[in-house]
Amino acid sequence: MLVHYLENTFQQKIDAETRIEPKDWMPDKYRQTLIRQISQHAHSEIVGMLPEGAWISRAPSLKRKQILLAKVQDEAGHGLYLYSAAETLGISRDEMIAQLHSGKAKYSSIFNYPTLTWADMGAIGWLVDGAAIMNQVPLCRTSYGPYSRAMIRVCKEESFHQRQGFESLLVLCQGSAEQKAMAQDALNRWWWPSLMMFGPHDSDSTNSEASMQWKIKRFSNDELRQRFVDMIAEQAKVLGLTLPDPDLKWNEERGHYDFGKINWEEFWQVVGGNGPCNKERLDARKKAWEDGAWVREAAVAHAEKRAARKAAVAA
Amino acid sequence: MVSKTTDTSRITEQEVWSILEKVKDPEVPVLSIIDLGVLRGVQLDASGKLTITITPTYSGCPAMDTISMDIRLKLMEYGIREVQIIQQLSPAWTTDWMTEGGKKKLRAYGIAPPNPKQQVCHQELFATEAIQCPHCNSWHTELISQFGSTACKALYRCTDCREAFDYFKCH
Amino acid sequence: MLQTITKDTGNSGLSSPFRGTGGFILHLADSALVLGQRNAEWTAHGPVLEQDIAITNIALDLIGQARNFFAYAAQAYNESKDAGKASFNNLLPRPWIAFNRELQEDDLAFLRDERQYLNLLLCELPKGDWAFTILRQYLFSAYQLPLFQQLAQGSDQQLAAIAAKGIKEVTYHLRWSAEWVIRLGDGTEESNRRINKALTELWPYTAELFEPSQIELDAAASGIPIRLEEVQVSWQNHIHRVFGEAGLTVPTNKPFQKGGKAGIHTEHMGHLLAEMQYLQRTYPNQQW
């Protein structure tokens, strides 16, 4: 009876677009869905630092080195925001990290692809960050307060990344023939995986329905994917690059670009752990965590000593 | 209001300032480069040559290249094509230059604005400073990370409403 | 034995302001660049997210400082008269000569040969464990801060401005690294063991911080206010205070490793450069 009443009040708030705050009552399933989604998002930021971080030492100019360092720092900062937002739901960061390391929690599969040339940095900014923004902008209005507020700031910073990625590709495309070829090759490799970032077709998506009702999610996978294709197809013209899809063409009737079939087998293989870099990424995260254990222990030990000394002085 | 067909022979320095109010920080777009204190000078000489002076917030701030480009683009909208942009390092930028209006906008955006300088910027080790939660105004907050997603911010948590929020560090 | 840099080389009234200072500016740039490069190896691999961000941010600050110094060196070179240019000949990147254009910051940062880099050896050593990285950063920041404070007072306005800009950042670096030295020294047995090991390994490389080399002598003769003996006093005071709190003993043995400021490096340097320079060398004279 009480639960029924609480659930009604909760859904009324959602319907009235009132944000749910950490101390409000919420259905357990809502809490779990949010924890899963926010922590997955946080893990994606952290794992996503690896393929880009690998190019900091090789960045071709001081300016690009700065931009890349700042970008990866941004991602770490976003990870931190998001872990903190998830913590308001009653899970600790250590628990979330343990779930990542055990394979229980997922992260965006896109980061299981390798970064092979410098142009991949531009392609990631343009396509991967572009797709991420497409997915994330609606989250600025998501029903959970701390998540929506975190997403507003994350999205602004991500837009800056996308712009920098596009600009970096533009410079390559206006450069030598070799540089332009490098940019085209990066686009060829990153295009299809970025389309997969929107998840399975709506008809095959399992978590969507409740998320839509609770306004955690506001647009379907296919809607967002279409928006992304429409945007990138136009931007590619500015760069003078060709999207690697012979079926891509403007459909006057629909007012959208038609595009070819996504290789879902590849998608499920990568999600299932068989992508080119799944093992490397997870191993790198685990190693950093294990190698850092003594550092974290020392910090705790010192903080305790310092607190004890302070208490002794006060006494 | 400045018309969009102005050229530098007819425009005044004051009008350039009001145009540049529209150039925003690329990562914190609620702040203009004037709010932030990054725009240091607008100079229009007798021959109509326009010189704009900006200063970086941090030596490594990657937004400076973007800001320079945005200034050019914005001025171009008003028909001003010839402009020289100078990056000036001295005197070094400080959060004291952030305008009061800028601080209000930051707070409304969910970022705690920099404290007045005398309170902080100390060299004392292991010191903590009191930061007000921009969400619920509580002073019961704790530091999560001295460095945030960008160099100019630190991350705090409110122990009352549990919000994690950015603090624009005093510099 | 330390000496005061007041040697009069009789070079007053130079035809070019650049003469005598070029090597020194590159030295400042190279140390910041190389240490930034090393610290950035931690990015995405830090012991905990907050510190991953902190060390990345410090790397970013250092690369930013390096860029300011390189841009200044390139500009000063381009604006120099022949005599000033000639004094810089042996520091020019060889591939640049064929480009037939003005010198740019990236030419200096990415295209010199190993023997032309003038950074402190301390900066190029592999990153080691967290204790090694922390202690190296601390030893460097405690030196960089008083050095920049001197440079900020100088009459070379651009150099003074770059240094003044850097002071605030370095103040943060020093505070952050000092806190970590204390945490590790006065943390667990394991952290204490590791920081002591790092100290043993790093101490020999502190010699060249304070021993004036030709580049500093030349810069001082050109009017740059460098007084390394004062930098050393400030450094020692800071270290005594922080080591005291960390429970570390300041080594008494005399440090002896040097050579970086004369372009004689450790074996690690070539590998660092090979990785850092590869795109610029593979695709020369391109825009990025």
Side-chain angles (χ1 to χ4, degrees), chain C residues 17-90:
Chain C
F18 193 49
R19 189 157 168 188
T21 63
F24 181 63
I25 297 169
L26 282 186
H27 155 65
L28 296 171
D30 290 343
S31 287
L33 173 66
V34 169
L35 184 53
Q37 181 83 0
R38 281 297 185 214
N39 283 343
E41 292 174 19
W42 280 101
T43 303
H45 305 278
V48 66
L49 197 45
E50 286 83 345
Q51 304 314 324
D52 202 314
I53 299 176
I55 196 75
T56 301
N57 200 117
I58 290 170
L60 179 58
D61 285 341
L62 290 169
I63 301 294
Q65 291 165 10
R67 193 176 167 197
N68 285 337
F69 287 127
F70 282 126
Y72 176 47
Q75 184 202 348
Y77 177 82
N78 292 329
E79 290 170 3
S80 272
K81 303 242 164 46
D82 290 347
K85 284 196 161 117
S87 74
F88 201 63
N89 269 348
N90 58 352

Side-chain angles (χ1 to χ4, degrees), chain C residues 24-255:
Chain C
F24 181 63
I25 297 169
L26 282 186
H27 155 65
L28 296 171
D30 290 343
S31 287
L33 173 66
V34 169
L35 184 53
Q37 181 83 0
R38 281 297 185 214
N39 283 343
E41 292 174 19
W42 280 101
T43 303
H45 305 278
V48 66
L49 197 45
E50 286 83 345
Q51 304 314 324
D52 202 314
I53 299 176
I55 196 75
T56 301
N57 200 117
I58 290 170
L60 179 58
D61 285 341
L62 290 169
I63 301 294
Q65 291 165 10
R67 193 176 167 197
N68 285 337
F69 287 127
F70 282 126
Y72 176 47
Q75 184 202 348
Y77 177 82
N78 292 329
E79 290 170 3
S80 272
K81 303 242 164 46
D82 290 347
K85 284 196 161 117
S87 74
F88 201 63
N89 269 348
N90 58 352
L91 294 172
L92 286 172
R94 273 184 306 110
W96 167 78
I97 296 163
F99 297 165
N100 279 317
R101 56 158 172 74
E102 287 206 319
L103 191 60
Q104 295 169 0
E105 59 187 36
D106 288 329
D107 302 326
L108 290 171
F110 292 92
L111 289 173
R112 280 175 295 148
D113 290 336
E114 180 180 333
R115 292 277 281 101
Q116 296 175 301
Y117 282 80
L118 302 173
N119 56 282
L120 298 167
L121 298 178
L122 181 78
C123 299
E124 73 198 45
L125 300 174
K127 78 180 198 302
D129 66 3
W130 188 248
F132 189 92
T133 286
I134 286 297
L135 187 61
R136 185 233 308 262
Q137 186 59 50
Y138 172 65
L139 296 173
F140 182 74
S141 296
Y143 146 90
Q144 208 188 21
L145 183 60
L147 179 66
F148 277 15
Q149 282 165 339
Q150 290 180 356
L151 299 178
Q153 302 302 320
S155 55
D156 181 325
Q157 288 188 1
Q158 187 62 11
L159 192 58
I162 297 171
K165 184 81 214 156
I167 284 173
K168 292 184 174 195
E169 294 147 14
V170 177
T171 304
Y172 247 126
H173 304 171
L174 183 58
R175 197 177 115 188
W176 175 86
S177 57
E179 286 178 358
W180 269 103
V181 168
I182 294 167
R183 269 190 203 107
L184 297 184
D186 184 26
T188 60
E189 246 176 66
E190 170 75 355
S191 68
N192 183 275
R193 182 187 67 75
R194 285 181 186 252
I195 192 106
N196 271 298
K197 180 166 170 282
L199 181 56
T200 307
E201 288 168 5
L202 282 162
W203 189 252
Y205 293 92
T206 58
E208 80 175 331
L209 275 59
F210 311 108
E211 217 176 289
S213 70
Q214 196 58 46
I215 50 179
E216 284 135 330
L217 295 171
D218 289 348
S222 305
I224 307 283
I226 332 164
R227 297 174 304 278
L228 287 185
E229 71 282 4
E230 287 175 26
V231 172
Q232 185 172 32
V233 170
S234 163
W235 184 83
Q236 282 169 337
N237 287 342
H238 207 285
I239 279 179
H240 278 275
R241 193 153 46 87
V242 168
F243 279 20
E245 219 183 307
L248 296 174
T249 309
V250 180
T252 48
N253 56 325
K254 190 176 144 43

Side-chain angles (χ1 to χ4, degrees), chain A residues 82 86 95 196 199-200 213-214 219 265 274 311:
Chain A
L82 290 160
E95 286 174 82
M196 297 176 199
Q213 188 202 335
W214 285 329
F219 298 97
E265 199 208 326
N274 300 321

Side-chain angles (χ1 to χ4, degrees), chain B residues 12-26 31-44 50-57 63-64 67-72 74-75 83-94 96-99, chain C residues 165:
Chain B
T12 66
E13 288 177 3
Q14 197 48 48
E15 284 166 335
V16 175
W17 279 92
S18 67
I19 293 171
L20 295 180
E21 175 65 39
K22 299 188 180 84
V23 176
K24 306 296 178 188
D25 178 291
L31 290 184
S32 75
I33 57 174
I34 297 174
D35 294 330
L36 199 54
V38 158
L39 180 61
R40 301 313 299 163
V42 171
Q43 217 189 357
L44 200 57
L50 180 61
T51 307
I52 287 169
T53 308
I54 54 174
T55 190
T57 52
M64 291 316 288
I67 288 175
S68 297
M69 197 196 296
D70 287 349
I71 289 175
R72 286 180 195 285
K74 187 52 75 183
L75 289 171
V83 57
Q84 191 190 7
I85 299 176
I86 296 175
Q87 276 202 30
Q88 180 185 288
L89 292 173
S90 176
W93 177 82
T94 154
D96 294 350
W97 293 349
M98 191 182 287
T99 62
Chain C
K165 184 81 214 156

Side-chain angles (χ1 to χ4, degrees), chain B:
Chain B
M1 195 53 224
V2 190
S3 97
K4 290 221 169 186
T5 52
T6 329
D7 63 50
T8 46
S9 62
R10 306 227 311 270
I11 201 162
T12 66
E13 288 177 3
Q14 197 48 48
E15 284 166 335
V16 175
W17 279 92
S18 67
I19 293 171
L20 295 180
E21 175 65 39
K22 299 188 180 84
V23 176
K24 306 296 178 188
D25 178 291
E27 293 202 271
V28 188
V30 290
L31 290 184
S32 75
I33 57 174
I34 297 174
D35 294 330
L36 199 54
V38 158
L39 180 61
R40 301 313 299 163
V42 171
Q43 217 189 357
L44 200 57
D45 69 13
S47 66
K49 190 179 155 228
L50 180 61
T51 307
I52 287 169
T53 308
I54 54 174
T55 190
T57 52
Y58 287 74
S59 298
C61 183
M64 291 316 288
D65 295 306
T66 312
I67 288 175
S68 297
M69 197 196 296
D70 287 349
I71 289 175
R72 286 180 195 285
L73 291 172
K74 187 52 75 183
L75 289 171
M76 230 180 259
E77 284 179 30
Y78 291 85
I80 304 167
R81 292 179 180 280
E82 293 297 315
V83 57
Q84 191 190 7
I85 299 176
I86 296 175
Q87 276 202 30
Q88 180 185 288
L89 292 173
S90 176
W93 177 82
T94 154
T95 41
D96 294 350
W97 293 349
M98 191 182 287
T99 62
E100 281 310 308
K103 289 182 184 178
K104 283 204 186 96
K105 289 183 209 167
L106 264 188
R107 191 179 291 114
Y109 184 58
I111 296 179
N115 278 332
K117 190 161 204 170
Q118 57 274 23
Q119 201 181 337
V120 283
C121 284
H122 38 59
Q123 286 207 48
E124 195 193 328
L125 301 179
F126 296 96
T128 50
E129 53 180 317
I131 307 298
Q132 192 179 15
C133 172
H135 185 55
C136 74
N137 296 324
S138 164
W139 287 94
H140 300 143
T141 60
E142 59 187 16
L143 176 72
I144 299 178
S145 180
Q146 269 181 34
F147 296 87
S149 56
T150 57
C152 49
K153 293 179 290 186
L155 190 66
Y156 277 75
R157 176 191 289 116
C158 177
T159 51
D160 282 334
C161 75
R162 296 193 214 161
E163 185 88 348
F165 64 91
D166 272 330
Y167 163 54
F168 203 111
K169 284 184 284 195
C170 152
H171 188 69

